[in-house]
Amino acid sequence: MNTRMIATGLFVSTLALLVTGCATVREPRAAALARAQRFYDAGRYAKALQATELAEASANPDPQVTAQALLLRGRCLEALGQQEPAEAHYRYVVDQYPTSELVAQARAAVQRLDVDAKANAPAASGDELSEWGFLEEVVLEYPDIRYPDLALGLGVGGTVVVAFQVNENGQATQIRVLSAPHPLLGGAAIDAISRARIDPTMLGLTDRSALPALRQTKINFELE
């Protein structure tokens, strides 16, 4: 056997191992996503939420798997009556995964849920993040921010930047993830800000007549 044939054989064998390895790494995440869908179809929404996190448990998440997980998580949250975080997850797909084939479904879900958007949103708001322009940044305190165990296991940390409005009840609405180092942290940031109650004076407002107010904030996830 000549040198060229040996080299070619080694290349083909190496390529086969790489392909097999990639399939093996991706298979558990795909399996977790399939399991999450089965839980959702059975009405076990809390279990489905846990499985969607497993589908994202990668140092380099697959964009398509992540978009599917975020969309399904939004559906689970909606089924559990948590409209604001559900809508935020749908927006997450639209904003951060614009090439995904799921964007149309996510945008339709936003439009279905966001019945008061046209009445309450400022003139600069819209489907595209670029239309939001400059947002004043505020520092907020959040109750019991949950650092996902899976993110800790991956050694994933960093800062999530979130845009939001505040309604007259001090609840964050129109939540959008502007940037996140990992989708697990983006989801945790959505959970934290959707549970917060925000005093308008913390936004530089003296009364509630100026609400809704559009702001952005940073949520830090620090590895010890």
Side-chain angles (χ1 to χ4, degrees), residues 119-122 164-174 197-215:
N120 294 333
F164 63 98
Q165 293 182 29
V166 177
N167 63 19
E168 61 183 9
N169 297 319
Q171 180 183 16
T173 65
Q174 305 294 306
R197 287 300 177 266
I198 303 167
D199 185 339
T201 59
M202 297 176 66
L203 307 181
L205 305 173
T206 57
D207 57 55
R208 297 180 182 273
S209 64
L211 297 177
L214 187 61
R215 296 290 189 272

Side-chain angles (χ1 to χ4, degrees), residues 84-85 87-88 91 162-164 172-177 190 193-194:
E84 290 298 340
E87 184 181 330
R91 288 187 183 277
V162 183
F164 63 98
T173 65
Q174 305 294 306
I175 303 166
R176 300 179 85 150
V177 175
I190 289 172
I193 196 169
S194 65

Side-chain angles (χ1 to χ4, degrees), residues 135-146:
L135 300 179
E136 181 180 342
E137 184 175 323
V138 294
V139 178
L140 302 175
E141 294 183 1
Y142 302 94
D144 303 323
I145 293 180
R146 183 180 68 89

Side-chain angles (χ1 to χ4, degrees), residues 119-160:
N120 294 333
S125 71
D127 250 359
E128 301 299 327
L129 284 175
S130 60
E131 297 179 15
W132 282 49
F134 173 78
L135 300 179
E136 181 180 342
E137 184 175 323
V138 294
V139 178
L140 302 175
E141 294 183 1
Y142 302 94
D144 303 323
I145 293 180
R146 183 180 68 89
Y147 202 135
D149 290 337
L150 291 171
L152 284 170
L154 291 170
V156 174
T159 300
V160 180

Side-chain angles (χ1 to χ4, degrees), residues 42-157:
R44 301 176 66 184
Y45 305 122
K47 295 289 290 184
L49 284 172
Q50 293 176 357
T52 58
E53 288 196 353
L54 286 172
E56 296 173 3
S58 169
N60 297 292
D62 180 278
Q64 181 59 22
V65 172
T66 298
Q68 289 178 280
L70 290 170
L71 185 65
L72 183 55
R73 190 181 301 165
R75 289 172 175 164
C76 291
L77 289 166
E78 186 178 353
L80 291 169
Q82 301 180 41
Q83 179 169 319
E84 290 298 340
E87 184 181 330
H89 278 81
Y90 296 143
R91 288 187 183 277
Y92 201 161
V93 176
V94 174
D95 293 336
Q96 304 299 332
Y97 301 91
T99 61
S100 171
E101 61 187 17
L102 301 175
V103 165
Q105 294 181 44
R107 183 175 285 115
V110 170
Q111 293 173 348
R112 174 172 48 79
L113 289 179
D114 206 10
V115 293
D116 297 325
K118 292 183 178 179
N120 294 333
S125 71
D127 250 359
E128 301 299 327
L129 284 175
S130 60
E131 297 179 15
W132 282 49
F134 173 78
L135 300 179
E136 181 180 342
E137 184 175 323
V138 294
V139 178
L140 302 175
E141 294 183 1
Y142 302 94
D144 303 323
I145 293 180
R146 183 180 68 89
Y147 202 135
D149 290 337
L150 291 171
L152 284 170
L154 291 170
V156 174

